[in-house]
Every structure is written in C-alpha cells, then in structure tokens.
C-alpha cells in the first residue's frame, strides 16, 4: 500500500522574523532610526534593567537603570563640552519616570551645584545649593525654590536662619551680621524685614564692628513682643 506524505505546515516567515526581532534580555547596541543608540537590557521590547543610551543630536549619555522604557532608578547623565568635546557630568542620582526623582547631585553650567532631593525633575525636599558667588543655602525646597526652613550663608560670613517662601525670606527669622557683630531677629515679608529687634552679637570678634555699640532697649517682655508679631504675621497669611 503506497505511503502518502503530507507537506509539513509551516508558519509564514514573517512570524519567525518578528520573533527574532523581539528585544528581551541583554542585547548588543541597538540603533534607532534617528541615530540614537542603546546598549543594555530589554524586556518586552522596552529598555529595562541596566543600560546606556547615547542621543545623536546632543551627544548626551545616560548610563544606569531603566524601567519599562524610562530612566528609573540610579543613573548618571553627562553631556559633551561644546569646545573640548570632553564629557561633563550633569546629574548623578536617582530617577523616577524618566525625570530626576529622589536624592541626587546636579552640576550647573555656571559652576553651581545642588545636592539633595528632587521631585518631577525639580528641587523639592531637603537640599544644599552652592551658588557661584560663594553663598550656600541649605534647607527645604519646593518646586525648585527655597521654601520652608533654611539657612543662607554668605561669603562674608553673614547668615540668615528662618522661614522661606518662593525663594525669598518670608516669616520669622534671624539675620546674623557677623562682620558687624549684630543680630536682627524679626519678621520678613518677601525678603524685606518688617519688624524686629537688632542687638549686638559677638561684637568683640567682628571684623568691622560699628563705631558705637547699640544701646540696650529695656523691654518688659521682648520675647513676648516677637511672639505677638509672629502671631500677627501668621493670622495675616492664613
């Protein structure tokens, strides 16, 4: 009896090609249509795990953690110097949903540096900012501005300790004029001291003390005066 052989049913070739094209696990460099390139781990065709991305237009490099196609976790972002072409680090720290989120260090082009917490790519939380003029602010931030409790130290040694809002001194605070040996304790509104008490403070060690010491003001309850001023400030801003 003759043996009948049936042809083997095979899937179309494009199914096999599509399967081989799926990116999953560790892969060599993959080039995008626009020239960007990525080397690292994949999951279901998305960058996921450890990997390095290079953007062709800017030359920027990100190396670190990825999660479902976005920078997420710990990573470092650098850009080339337009003159020397050497890479300069811009940010190193935590990322969340493709933006700076968590704790990290950011280096600005003018030499300034921020080290602290981020949220949605903005300085938010507790952080320390070193400015180009030598000033240093350390304290709370909100939406990229000092907001809350913080200390600003100036290059001459003077400092402000107190409340901030929208990047300005706002609320109860103390300003130490160490160069003159004086201290102002009072209430600020939008960087302007509205009321307070100015007294000598460390006058003997001051670099440029005033010609005459401040006269002592006899107040029955100086702490109570400032407390009353703070209460009036709070009431006006509630």
């Amino acid at each position: 009896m003759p043996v009948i052989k049936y042809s083997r049913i095979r899937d179309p070739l494009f199914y096999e090609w599509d399967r081989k094209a799926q990116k999953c696990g560790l892969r060599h460099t993959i080039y995008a249509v626009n020239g960007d390139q990525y080397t690292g781990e994949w999951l279901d065709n998305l960058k996921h795990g450890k990997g390095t991305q290079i953007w062709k237009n800017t030359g920027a490099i990100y190396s670190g953690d990825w999660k479902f196609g976005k920078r997420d976790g710990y990573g470092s972002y650098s850009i080339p110097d337009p003159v020397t072409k050497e890479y300069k680090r811009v940010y190193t720290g935590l990322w969340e949903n493709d933006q700076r989120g968590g704790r990290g260090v950011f280096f600005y082009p003018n030499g300034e540096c921020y080290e602290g917490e981020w949220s949605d790519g903005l300085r938010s939380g507790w952080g320390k900012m070193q400015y180009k003029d030598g000033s240093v602010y350390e304290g709370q931030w909100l939406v990229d501005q000092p907001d809350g409790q913080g200390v600003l130290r100036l290059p001459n040694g003077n400092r402000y300790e107190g409340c901030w809002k929208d990047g300005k001194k706002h609320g109860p605070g103390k300003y130490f004029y160490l160069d003159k040996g004086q201290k102002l304790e009072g209430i600020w509104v939008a960087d302007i001291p509205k009321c307070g008490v100015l007294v000598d403070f460390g006058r003997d060690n001051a670099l440029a003390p005033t010609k005459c010491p401040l006269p002592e003001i006899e107040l029955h309850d100086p702490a109570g005066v400032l407390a009353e001023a703070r209460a009036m400030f709070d009431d006006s801003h509630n």
Side-chain angles (χ1 to χ4, degrees):
M1 183 176 181
V3 177
I4 301 175
K5 294 184 179 181
Y6 295 94
S7 60
R8 186 176 178 181
I9 300 177
R10 299 185 61 181
D11 292 331
L13 286 177
F14 68 83
Y15 282 114
E16 180 67 14
W17 296 337
D18 184 65
R19 184 186 64 79
K20 291 182 177 180
Q22 297 297 310
K23 294 181 285 291
C24 188
L26 181 62
R27 296 291 293 264
H28 295 296
T29 303
I30 301 294
Y31 294 87
V33 176
N34 61 3
D36 296 346
Q37 52 182 291
Y38 171 81
T39 305
E41 296 177 305
W42 298 78
L43 179 64
D44 296 332
N45 278 337
L46 295 174
K47 302 162 192 170
H48 190 89
K50 301 288 185 181
T52 299
Q53 168 94 13
I54 302 177
W55 286 267
K56 182 180 180 180
N57 288 339
T58 61
I61 294 180
Y62 169 80
S63 182
D65 295 326
W66 297 79
K67 186 176 181 180
F68 300 120
K70 296 182 178 181
R71 292 169 289 185
D72 199 296
Y74 186 84
S76 180
Y77 180 81
S78 304
I79 59 174
D81 185 274
V83 179
T84 64
K85 304 303 180 182
E86 294 182 358
Y87 275 91
K88 291 186 175 181
R89 185 174 47 174
V90 175
Y91 176 77
T92 298
L94 295 175
W95 298 74
E96 186 176 357
N97 197 29
D98 219 33
Q99 298 190 83
R100 295 183 292 274
R103 190 165 185 83
V105 183
F106 190 93
F107 300 91
Y108 293 84
N110 61 359
E112 297 179 346
C113 175
Y114 171 81
E115 180 179 1
E117 297 175 308
W118 298 79
S119 179
D120 294 328
L122 302 175
R123 293 168 289 186
S124 292
W126 190 269
K128 180 179 180 181
M129 182 74 187
Q130 300 183 41
Y131 296 95
K132 188 177 181 180
D133 63 359
S135 302
V136 178
Y137 170 82
E138 185 171 4
Q140 294 175 305
W141 294 76
L142 182 65
V143 194
D144 231 27
Q145 295 285 354
D147 198 296
Q149 293 289 327
V151 179
L152 176 66
R153 294 180 174 86
L154 303 178
N156 60 4
N158 295 348
R159 73 178 186 272
Y160 169 81
E161 301 177 0
C163 295
W164 297 77
K165 185 178 181 181
D166 298 329
K168 297 181 179 180
K169 306 176 202 61
H170 194 85
K174 300 176 183 179
Y175 201 109
F176 296 86
Y177 299 91
L178 298 184
D179 57 338
K180 299 183 181 300
Q182 296 177 336
K183 178 185 73 171
L184 173 62
E185 183 175 358
I187 304 295
W188 273 256
V189 176
D191 259 352
I192 301 174
K194 292 295 184 179
C195 67
V197 177
L198 183 66
V199 297
D200 285 328
F201 181 85
R203 178 181 172 81
D204 294 338
N205 298 322
L207 296 177
T210 55
K211 185 175 181 180
C212 299
L214 291 171
E216 294 186 4
I217 300 176
E218 295 292 338
L219 291 176
H220 177 66
D221 184 14
V225 172
L226 287 176
E228 183 178 352
R230 292 191 186 99
M232 292 175 61
F233 174 84
D234 294 337
D235 291 340
S236 65
H237 288 79
N238 288 333

